[in-house]
Amino acid sequence: MTNLLVDTNSIGSRAFFTGVLTFFSMLEKVTDDVRPDYTLFAFDSRNNWRKGIYPEYKANRKPKNDGEALQKQLRVKYLAKLWYSLRDAGFNVLAVDGFEADDLIASLATPNDYVLTGDKDLLQLCDVASVIYVPAKFADRQTCDQQGCIGLTGYAPNQLALYKALVGEKTDNIPGTRKIGPVTAAKLLPSNYTLLCEHPLVTADLGGFTLSYKLASLRYDVPVTWVKQQGDLTLAKRKFRGGK
């Protein structure tokens, strides 16, 4: 049995900026390729455990002016409309309070599954499932295993969170470890969490390293289950456009 687990906030947001029906076009192409038995659409919850331990997480994404604030409101409405149209068309749609879609997918993914995302964070799952990564252009998407992850990032799936813990990440506002950049990180990796915690360069800012590692790591323990049922993409698209 093959499931397709969709990082809806990532893929949906990508489509929001390129045209409201682009989302369904992308889904149709992927389902034609993968032929999943079931498809699940994971959404971020409004609350977020990462912000609970680090309020500045993704704080750099706050609107800087009225135009950006309006765009954010429209994007939220767009994602809500996606939720209802997919749900009403018979698909599984899931959000769990306090967790991001990444965590839901990590907690559900199995070796037979495909994960569809535009977020490199989910490349951490390349050891667990097949990850269909969508870069800026959908036509350039690729299905990644461990070697595919290394080709895209330079690191194996189990090293990605460690890398971000060392150098940080601007997109999610993860601070990283002071005085460690990409060059130094490349010298320290591959490694593991325990050994890095004992390295002098890391112990100089152990708090920054451990916090950043938590923020960068996926959660595999989200209390989530789903009743497998397959919906109708054509119906979902029609409902999204306002039809019955």
Side-chain angles (χ1 to χ4, degrees):
M1 181 180 297
T2 298
N3 303 313
L4 176 64
L5 310 178
V6 181
D7 181 6
T8 320
N9 281 74
S10 170
I11 296 298
S13 295
R14 185 78 57 84
F16 172 74
F17 291 105
T18 57
V20 293
L21 292 180
T22 305
F23 176 82
F24 293 100
S25 177
M26 290 191 290
L27 258 295
E28 287 165 351
K29 290 176 181 177
V30 170
T31 54
D32 284 346
D33 292 340
V34 174
R35 298 290 180 183
D37 295 291
Y38 302 103
T39 303
L40 178 140
F41 295 90
F43 287 77
D44 294 341
S45 74
R46 182 169 298 179
N47 300 313
N48 188 312
W49 70 268
R50 290 178 175 87
K51 289 183 180 179
I53 64 172
Y54 184 60
E56 295 304 306
Y57 178 69
K58 293 187 178 180
N60 53 339
R61 299 188 186 186
K62 292 180 180 178
K64 298 180 178 63
N65 52 53
D66 291 344
E68 289 187 2
L70 176 60
Q71 188 178 73
K72 182 177 181 179
Q73 292 174 9
L74 292 174
R75 176 177 164 272
V76 169
K77 290 181 179 179
Y78 167 80
L79 289 170
K81 193 173 182 180
L82 275 182
W83 169 287
Y84 289 113
S85 62
L86 291 164
R87 184 202 64 180
D88 293 347
F91 285 103
N92 294 275
V93 292
L94 279 178
V96 176
D97 187 46
F99 294 94
E100 294 181 89
D102 292 5
D103 299 317
L104 273 64
I105 291 171
S107 298
L108 292 170
T110 69
N112 289 331
D113 293 341
Y114 286 84
V115 174
L116 177 63
T117 185
D119 187 346
K120 285 187 177 179
D121 288 341
L122 278 172
L123 292 175
Q124 293 179 59
L125 294 180
C126 285
D127 283 339
V128 178
S130 298
V131 179
I132 304 172
Y133 174 69
V134 181
K137 293 183 179 180
F138 181 72
D140 295 333
R141 67 191 182 278
Q142 62 182 91
T143 302
C144 300
D145 55 11
Q146 184 180 54
Q147 289 304 311
C149 178
I150 294 172
L152 280 172
T153 68
Y155 292 95
N158 66 353
Q159 298 292 293
L160 293 180
L162 292 172
Y163 178 78
K164 290 184 180 182
L166 292 171
V167 306
E169 187 190 55
K170 291 183 179 180
T171 303
D172 291 340
N173 205 35
I174 295 175
T177 308
R178 286 195 302 270
K179 297 184 179 181
I180 294 181
V183 174
T184 302
K187 295 177 181 177
L188 295 174
L189 300 174
S191 187
N192 61 54
Y193 180 81
T194 301
L195 289 176
L196 287 173
C197 284
E198 297 171 352
H199 195 284
L201 291 174
V202 176
T203 56
D205 185 23
L206 188 59
F209 174 77
T210 55
L211 171 64
S212 297
Y213 183 71
K214 288 178 182 178
L215 295 172
S217 298
L218 299 176
R219 291 277 296 269
Y220 296 84
D221 61 344
V222 180
V224 58
T225 58
W226 60 305
V227 178
K228 294 180 173 63
Q229 58 187 38
Q230 186 67 336
D232 184 333
L233 266 182
T234 301
L235 177 58
K237 184 193 300 186
R238 192 160 64 244
K239 286 180 173 293
F240 183 86
R241 298 179 72 174
K244 295 181 179 181

